Amino acid sequence: VEEQHYATSTRHLAFLLQVEDELLAHMRQYAAKLQQKVHTMRVLQAEWLARRLAAIADPVSYAANPLRSLPLMRRMHVDARKWLTFARLEVGQESLKQLAEYELGVITAVDLKEAANGLLRIQETYDLHERDMARGILQHKQYNSRLSAADCLTLGAHLEDLKKGPLACRWLEVALEQYEDKWQPLDWLLQAGRSQIWQQLGLTRIMTHDLHGSRAAFTKAVELASEGEDVAIAQHLAGNLGHHFVHQRNCQGKSGLPVQSSLRCHYAAEGSAYLRLAPLRMEQLSLDPLVAIYHEVVSAAEQSDLLTLSQPQLQRHRGHRYDAVRTFASAELVSNATLHVERLHRKLEDITGLDLAESEPLRILNYGLGGQYYIHEDCKQPQPHVEPYPKEYRLATVLLYLSDVRQGGYTSFPALGLGIRPQRGSALVWHNANNAGNCDFKALHAACPVLLGTRWVASKWISGSGGQWRRKPCRK
Ligand SMILES: O=C(O)CCC(=O)C(=O)O
Ligand SMILES: [Fe+2]
């Protein structure tokens, strides 16, 4: 199909109206069919309910009357089946089919961009105010037309793409003014509701380095979200924004050495027979919470087992529809998958001094283009005194690096100012909870986007009721 560039001539633009009319006609037909079905179901339900109500007082004596129990049996055996068959019936399929045949694909994102550019060109050349434009005023002339909140949102997002932050913010503020509550039921469908606008505003304000305003916008987005509206990004960023910039520095390798001077780098030879025989080079990166890296933990044979076993199972992380927070594919491996995996698990128990029996399976993660795991906590605080604790109560995490990454892909601790470069075979260990059993916000972490190369890690979330600390030396 040839591209038309619909935005560039009024003749082509007018053609879109024709398409729109036909779409609307099909939509009306489809809605009518659905309505018919709903109507039939309502009538049936009312009739059925009327008979059912007769039994409310005393079900046993109702059932004891054969003139009632036979009909009951018939209803449940015959009518109910018919009703279910009817319920499963897909109505209006013909209209849907016709709708699907529409070549909406010919109207492209490029067309929308050109239209947006056209509007913004007018704004600049004629020095128009975005609020006036949205309300139908062009050079002091009032027209009987307006831009909807969704239109303004589109312009705002487009301007953000063009790196025109301040103007984007202004359009988004107008979008909020133009928002009308009456469209609220559609917010989840069109994803252009008030909370989407606030979310976009938050993102755009980050761009203009307005951290404060950005956090406020994200908070609003979360507050106003109606059911089904996807505000995952806002939700995430509302809490983590202060850390976003430290995180960026961490990712870029600009964070330097950890600030605490008491940190040690030595051979760890305590806690198990294995470590006494083969001490591991251990580097402390933080003491509160503990973050330490152990070198040469995962042998080449173990690495290759983990990768081979995971390959057939790797699946894109399933989160929200558009989940930029976690962009990787992962697979789970049970602790006794192979002898190597089993041995590796014992090694992790030795290193951490923690019992892994109650923990979730080892997860192998592979990050793709720009893949990241944005700032998050592994540990979720359980309700006090409600045992057993849920799996999400993860006291510690071990991250095994299964590949070097050519560029980027550091593990970042925004609250600690740490950026750790993946080293194949190393294990990064950190505590998510303190000795009082409280999840520690400072253990917040992220995987930076991969800049170049591939990134394979295995992560072991260590959960349990606290008993697994028993292997800590000097505790009993
Ligand atoms: O891949 C990383 O560096 C982090 C992984 C992670 O945070 C996790 O698995 O919880
Ligand atoms: Fe994590």
Side-chain angles (χ1 to χ4, degrees):
V1 185
E2 204 187 320
E3 279 184 35
Q4 294 291 341
H5 292 275
Y6 289 99
T8 47
S9 73
T10 42
R11 190 165 149 66
H12 283 134
L13 279 167
F15 172 71
L16 295 186
L17 284 177
Q18 201 182 313
V19 177
E20 188 169 44
D21 284 345
E22 287 170 31
L23 276 178
L24 279 172
H26 287 306
M27 209 193 252
R28 193 178 53 230
Q29 267 175 25
Y30 180 59
K33 291 266 163 57
L34 284 181
Q35 204 147 31
Q36 236 169 36
K37 178 171 176 180
V38 171
H39 180 68
T40 308
M41 284 176 72
R42 288 248 156 86
V43 173
L44 180 67
Q45 186 207 0
E47 187 249 12
W48 197 323
L49 183 67
R51 283 181 295 172
R52 175 67 186 85
L53 284 178
I56 262 181
D58 178 3
V60 176
S61 70
Y62 181 96
N65 180 344
L67 299 183
R68 283 180 167 157
S69 50
L70 174 94
L72 171 67
M73 188 56 78
R74 192 197 53 75
R75 284 201 304 274
M76 296 312 293
H77 182 67
V78 183
D79 291 4
R81 277 158 208 259
K82 288 187 178 153
W83 180 80
L84 278 178
T85 308
F86 176 72
R88 285 198 204 100
L89 206 67
E90 290 175 355
V91 298
Q93 291 306 299
E94 326 79 60
S95 330
L96 272 191
K97 213 170 129 236
Q98 277 171 321
L99 276 172
E101 276 161 17
Y102 258 87
E103 282 284 349
L104 285 179
V106 299
I107 303 157
T108 65
V110 175
D111 291 312
L112 179 59
K113 269 187 200 158
E114 287 200 318
N117 283 337
L119 205 89
L120 296 168
R121 194 177 310 126
I122 297 168
Q123 177 175 24
E124 198 190 324
T125 308
Y126 298 103
D127 216 358
L128 305 181
H129 195 289
E130 51 282 343
R131 179 175 293 122
D132 290 342
M133 294 175 82
R135 293 179 183 174
I137 302 170
L138 299 175
Q139 289 187 322
H140 310 294
K141 288 200 190 87
Q142 175 74 59
Y143 291 90
N144 182 21
S145 54
R146 58 191 292 284
L147 296 174
S148 71
D151 298 328
C152 301
L153 173 59
T154 298
L155 287 167
H158 178 60
L159 283 162
E160 197 214 342
D161 276 352
L162 298 176
K163 301 273 174 289
K164 296 189 176 170
L167 185 57
C169 285
R170 296 213 305 271
W171 270 105
L172 292 168
E173 277 150 21
V174 174
L176 287 168
E177 292 169 13
Q178 296 295 94
Y179 180 81
E180 289 178 71
D181 279 322
K182 65 175 173 184
W183 303 124
Q184 208 216 335
L186 293 183
D187 286 352
W188 68 271
L189 176 73
L190 304 176
Q191 295 289 328
R194 203 168 6 203
S195 55
Q196 304 298 318
I197 304 171
W198 279 112
Q199 176 166 280
Q200 182 61 51
L201 194 55
L203 289 169
T204 312
R205 282 179 180 165
I206 291 186
M207 210 172 98
T208 61
H209 299 281
D210 174 9
L211 266 194
H212 211 73
S214 173
R215 189 183 296 122
F218 288 136
T219 308
K220 272 276 198 224
V222 174
E223 242 170 59
L224 294 172
S226 46
E227 205 180 317
E229 266 194 287
D230 182 2
V231 285
I233 295 174
Q235 212 147 26
H236 207 79
L237 288 174
N240 292 323
L241 210 56
H243 293 116
H244 181 79
F245 292 90
V246 184
H247 170 60
Q248 270 189 353
R249 289 182 56 81
N250 290 345
C251 290
Q252 292 171 12
K254 289 183 183 163
S255 295
L257 284 173
V259 280
Q260 286 157 299
S261 61
S262 54
L263 299 170
R264 299 211 302 150
C265 179
H266 64 116
Y267 277 91
E270 278 161 39
S272 82
Y274 164 77
L275 283 177
R276 273 195 294 281
L277 282 172
L280 286 169
R281 192 153 55 89
M282 189 265 271
E283 200 179 326
Q284 293 174 334
L285 298 173
S286 159
L287 293 177
D288 179 29
L290 179 78
V291 181
I293 190 152
Y294 291 78
H295 295 277
E296 289 163 46
V297 172
V298 196
S299 70
E302 289 159 353
Q303 289 170 30
S304 88
D305 257 26
L306 294 180
L307 293 200
T308 318
L309 288 167
S310 69
Q311 311 260 3
Q313 303 178 46
L314 276 184
Q315 272 192 5
R316 159 81 161 105
H317 173 84
R318 276 190 303 272
H320 292 272
R321 209 158 33 93
Y322 169 62
D323 186 351
V325 173
R326 277 170 281 197
T327 45
F328 53 75
S330 65
E332 294 188 343
L333 293 188
V334 288
S335 59
N336 59 359
T338 65
L339 279 179
H340 283 140
V341 177
E342 222 169 322
R343 206 173 55 197
L344 183 62
H345 268 86
R346 277 203 301 276
K347 229 187 289 185
L348 300 188
E349 291 190 320
D350 287 340
I351 291 174
T352 56
L354 293 168
D355 198 324
L356 301 189
E358 293 175 55
S359 296
E360 289 152 281
L362 190 69
R363 294 185 317 143
I364 314 295
L365 276 52
N366 179 225
Y367 294 75
L369 178 70
Q372 68 163 351
Y373 195 155
Y374 195 68
I375 306 171
H376 67 280
E377 286 167 277
D378 290 347
C379 180
K380 193 164 159 245
Q381 192 71 40
Q383 299 285 329
H385 317 301
V386 183
E387 288 190 62
Y389 293 126
K391 291 275 186 236
E392 293 75 27
Y393 183 43
R394 300 171 184 128
L395 304 170
T397 303
V398 184
L399 189 69
L400 305 171
Y401 294 109
L402 305 179
S403 70
D404 294 316
V405 182
R406 281 173 65 188
Q407 279 174 270
Y410 284 26
T411 298
S412 155
F413 288 81
L416 304 175
L418 288 176
I420 296 134
R421 181 188 180 149
Q423 275 177 287
R424 183 171 174 169
S426 297
L428 188 68
V429 177
W430 68 88
H431 287 179
N432 295 307
N434 60 22
N435 276 339
N438 296 324
C439 293
D440 188 347
F441 189 65
K442 294 193 295 303
L444 213 60
H445 57 277
C448 301
V450 177
L451 188 54
L452 194 86
T454 183
R455 188 180 197 274
W456 288 92
V457 297
S459 101
K460 186 74 186 174
W461 285 326
I462 304 176
S463 42
S465 45
Q468 60 280 85
W469 292 116
R470 70 179 173 272
R471 289 159 60 106
K472 246 186 185 178
C474 316
R475 283 256 212 118
K476 193 71 193 173

